[in-house]
Amino acid sequence: MPPMPLVCSKTSDRDCRLLKLEPEITSSLEQELEVLFISNSDNKRSKNYRTSSMKWAVGATSTVVLCTQTETFKVTAVESSNSTLLATGSLVGSGVIRSIVSFHWEARRIDPRLDFRSSLPTYSVNDPSTHEAAPDLKQLQASMQASITEIKVALQSSTVLINEFGSHFYLHEASLHQCLDELLMTLSLRGWSPSAIPLQACAEDAAKHGSDCMVATYCLKHFSLSQSSSGEINLDVRRVARALTKSLFTTKSTYSSTLELIRDLRDCLPVRNRGAPDVFT
């Protein structure tokens, strides 16, 4: 290839950067899917601006990840002892040097960085101000260093409430277990079968006795196996037993025997099911 004559641009492009991409990122860009750069900065004045299919979130820290729709990549700077000239032009003509860089960026696959407990407001029916601060899914994606798919998967296994407006709240495990105790009491009083609990009626009944209807509905779904088309749920009694066991050991550090633990578990379950030993097997 013949040598290319180069000339320096009168105006240097200092915003130009080199980024080495993994095939998954390249594939996303070729499909014109959104790719996000997300900083872990608390700087609320960070600017967002869009270039082609990439959306850059510029913050005050150097800890940045790049997220496709399904994966998360950590972006790090790789120093070089050589300088790289970034030029525009054609192979048969002259080139114009736009910028000179001594490093480039690399994006490496990492696990998503998710912490709903510290990132979301704690749900409180007595504090309306938390409702205003609760993010929707789009805002959650902009603040979490994880892809949208990874966020949705994590939400399914976390104690996160979503209200009718799509706002997300963190629910402490202690609050969830307290609500579970109240719901089990409601089942005993109403005589509902754990395999056919009327979801709406049970949540509304629990709300009349001090529980929050939204938390009660979430709790019932969280500890259920399935929900029928008629609105009835089938309680996962084994999952309930595991949660109750954890709560029991919080208040009582040791048990002298397994029978003693099972006796306390039976006392926590609805009355009509205390005589069924198979719920613990």
Side-chain angles (χ1 to χ4, degrees):
M1 185 178 68
M4 176 191 293
L6 294 174
V7 295
C8 290
S9 172
K10 294 181 179 180
T11 57
S12 176
D13 188 356
R14 296 185 178 181
D15 290 331
C16 190
R17 300 289 185 269
L18 288 179
L19 175 63
K20 182 180 179 181
L21 300 179
E22 293 292 321
E24 297 85 352
I25 305 174
T26 304
S27 176
S28 294
L29 293 174
E30 289 174 344
Q31 297 177 61
E32 297 186 354
L33 300 175
E34 188 176 57
V35 176
L36 299 176
F37 283 89
I38 304 174
S39 168
N40 67 345
S41 170
D42 291 327
N43 181 8
K44 302 304 181 182
R45 297 184 180 181
S46 297
K47 295 182 178 179
N48 294 325
Y49 48 93
R50 190 179 178 88
T51 304
S52 299
S53 297
M54 285 193 176
K55 185 176 180 181
W56 299 71
V58 181
T61 79
S62 59
T63 305
V64 177
V65 300
L66 185 153
C67 296
T68 65
Q69 294 294 297
T70 59
E71 296 178 298
T72 303
F73 301 81
K74 182 179 180 180
V75 179
T76 55
V78 179
E79 299 288 343
S80 173
S81 59
N82 300 319
S83 294
T84 302
L85 304 180
L86 303 181
T88 58
S90 64
L91 294 178
V92 296
S94 62
V96 179
I97 300 174
R98 299 295 182 182
S99 183
I100 302 175
V101 297
S102 59
F103 68 92
H104 69 277
W105 298 92
E106 285 187 349
R108 298 291 181 88
R109 178 75 173 86
I110 62 169
D111 292 330
R113 296 173 172 176
L114 294 165
D115 186 358
F116 295 128
R117 182 169 186 171
S118 62
S119 302
L120 295 177
T122 300
Y123 181 78
S124 173
V125 67
N126 299 318
D127 187 3
S129 64
T130 62
H131 295 215
E132 299 176 1
D136 58 23
L137 185 59
K138 196 68 177 178
Q139 293 168 326
L140 195 61
Q141 182 187 12
S143 62
M144 292 284 182
Q145 292 193 314
S147 70
I148 187 64
T149 298
E150 292 166 326
I151 292 174
K152 290 179 178 179
V153 170
L155 286 173
Q156 294 175 3
S157 59
S158 303
T159 53
V160 175
L161 294 178
I162 305 175
N163 66 11
E164 66 272 23
F165 304 109
S167 301
H168 293 68
F169 304 85
Y170 179 76
L171 180 65
H172 284 292
E173 193 175 60
S175 299
L176 180 66
H177 290 168
Q178 179 182 350
C179 182
L180 177 60
D181 289 338
E182 295 167 351
L183 288 170
L184 293 176
M185 179 63 69
T186 298
L187 293 182
S188 294
L189 295 175
R190 296 296 297 269
W192 285 320
S193 169
S195 61
I197 303 172
L199 176 62
Q200 183 175 351
C202 186
E204 291 176 350
D205 192 280
K208 294 177 183 178
H209 298 87
S211 296
D212 179 74
C213 189
M214 178 177 164
V215 176
T217 301
Y218 171 82
C219 185
L220 287 168
K221 291 181 178 179
H222 183 79
F223 288 102
S224 68
L225 290 169
S226 60
Q227 181 176 349
S228 66
S229 56
S230 61
E232 293 183 341
I233 63 169
N234 181 10
L235 200 66
D236 186 346
V237 184
R238 294 182 181 180
R239 188 175 185 182
V240 170
R242 288 194 296 269
L244 292 175
T245 300
K246 187 174 182 179
S247 295
L248 288 173
F249 275 106
T250 300
T251 57
K252 188 174 182 178
S253 58
T254 59
Y255 279 89
S256 59
S257 67
T258 304
L259 290 177
E260 183 183 359
L261 172 61
I262 291 180
R263 185 168 56 249
D264 281 356
L265 281 173
R266 290 184 187 280
D267 290 340
C268 295
L269 288 172
V271 172
R272 64 180 298 167
N273 291 284
R274 290 181 186 170
D278 61 314
V279 299
F280 303 110
T281 60

